[in-house]
């Protein structure tokens, strides 16, 4: 009576106690261009979403996309601000570069009220 | 601990890394600028959430879903984000599926939606499974 320990014909393990078969690959290949990890912690994004009193629930996918969108936003605004710094031939991004970018780019208009731009008095809002 | 929603800042280290990767090598960023960007990102999330919630309410849903957020991006004039976000979502879904098939050996070649149903049960946050655009 041979114990069934040594394969009885099917070498495959039909029971996976803890997924020991294959080591799961580390999240995403960082070498591929454009394939980036979502690095902003979803928990913090979720906290921001919950801060809105009108929001009842948010699905996991929604949180994930918001996190990614926030990353894209950071990239975008950093690049736009850098254009201003480049004009000043500086290699360090300053706060004023950011302010300039916010003023110059329409899409960033929603930031004007929140960041408390100091020294920039908006006499009249030129929103169309 | 946070007094206002805008004070819920995202981790500085991550923000800094994203900024540095967006900019050419050798470019630095002042602490003030970085902190302003971090704050701006928080505001962005708040604003996007609010917009997305409007779409959810229009659809008479109580749960924000991915398409609400995508619609919000267009509304906020960040259409250029929509495509990369959709791609990111697809990647994430694939990863989730891979994780599932990793724990369960793909012996069964049934193409039923059993896995999807399992996901539905686990992800109770998604009340409605809508086709996402």
């Amino acid at each position: 009576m041979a114990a069934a320990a040594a394969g009885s014909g099917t070498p495959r393990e039909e029971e996976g106690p803890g997924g020991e078969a294959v080591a799961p690959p580390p999240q995403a290949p960082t070498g591929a261009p454009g394939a980036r990890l979502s690095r902003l912690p979803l928990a913090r994004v979720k906290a921001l979403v919950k801060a809105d009193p009108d929001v009842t629930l948010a699905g996991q996918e929604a949180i994930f996309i918001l996190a990614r969108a926030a990353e894209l936003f950071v990239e975008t605004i950093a690049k736009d601000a850098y254009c201003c710094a480049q004009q000043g031939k500086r290699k360090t991004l300053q706060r004023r570069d950011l302010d300039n970018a916010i003023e110059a780019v329409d899409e960033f208009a929603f930031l004007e009220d929140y960041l408390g731009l100091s020294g920039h008095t908006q006499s009249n809002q030129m929103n169309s | 601990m946070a007094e206002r929603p805008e004070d819920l800042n995202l981790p500085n280290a991550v923000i800094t890394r994203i900024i540095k990767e967006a900019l050419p090598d050798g470019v630095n960023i002042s602490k003030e600028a970085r902190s302003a960007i971090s704050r701006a990102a928080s505001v962005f999330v708040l604003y996007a959430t609010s917009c997305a919630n409007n779409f959810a309410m229009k659809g008479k849903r109580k749960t924000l879903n991915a398409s609400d957020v995508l619609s919000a991006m267009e509304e906020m004039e960040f259409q250029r984000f929509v495509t990369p976000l959709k791609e990111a979502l697809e990647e994430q879904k694939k990863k989730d599926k891979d994780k599932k098939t990793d724990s369960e050996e793909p012996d069964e070649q049934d193409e039923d939606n059993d896995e999807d149903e399992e996901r539905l049960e686990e992800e109770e946050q998604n009340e409605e499974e809508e086709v996402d655009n």
Side-chain angles (χ1 to χ4, degrees), chain A residues 82-114:
Chain A
Y82 178 59
C83 286
C84 300
Q86 261 189 320
Q87 287 171 8
K89 295 191 182 168
R90 280 177 284 107
K91 283 215 157 180
T92 301
L93 229 62
Q94 305 281 352
R95 170 65 195 258
R96 63 190 134 144
D97 298 321
L98 204 62
D99 294 345
N100 289 336
I102 290 172
E103 273 188 77
V105 180
D106 283 341
E107 296 148 343
F108 297 149
F110 70 92
L111 291 170
E112 285 172 4
D113 294 330
Y114 283 100

Side-chain angles (χ1 to χ4, degrees), chain B residues 57-71:
Chain B
M57 292 198 294
K58 272 188 208 167
K60 302 204 175 153
R61 281 175 282 106
K62 288 188 180 176
T63 307
L64 288 190
N65 62 18
S67 62
D68 293 329
V69 179
L70 291 174
S71 304

Side-chain angles (χ1 to χ4, degrees), chain A residues 35-54:
Chain A
R36 279 166 296 212
L37 303 174
S38 175
R39 288 160 295 197
L40 286 174
L42 297 184
R44 296 247 199 147
V45 176
K46 204 174 194 179
L48 280 165
V49 170
K50 284 190 169 177
D52 189 328
D54 294 330

Side-chain angles (χ1 to χ4, degrees), chain A residues 12 39 44 46 48-49 54 56-57 59-62 64 68 76 79 82 91-93 98 107 110, chain B residues 5 9 21-23 27-28 30 36 46-47 53 62-64 77 80-81 93 107 123 125-127:
Chain A
R12 283 177 302 178
R39 288 160 295 197
R44 296 247 199 147
K46 204 174 194 179
L48 280 165
V49 170
D54 294 330
T56 316
L57 280 174
Q60 253 182 345
E61 289 182 348
F64 172 75
R68 281 300 280 129
T76 304
K79 286 183 182 165
Y82 178 59
K91 283 215 157 180
T92 301
L93 229 62
L98 204 62
E107 296 148 343
F110 70 92
Chain B
N9 267 346
E21 288 184 7
L23 301 176
V27 176
N28 288 320
S30 75
L46 290 171
Y47 185 35
N53 199 39
K62 288 188 180 176
T63 307
L64 288 190
E77 296 184 32
R80 56 183 141 154
F81 287 0
K93 284 185 183 173
D107 284 340
E123 298 177 11
Q125 293 168 3
N126 288 335
E127 290 182 353

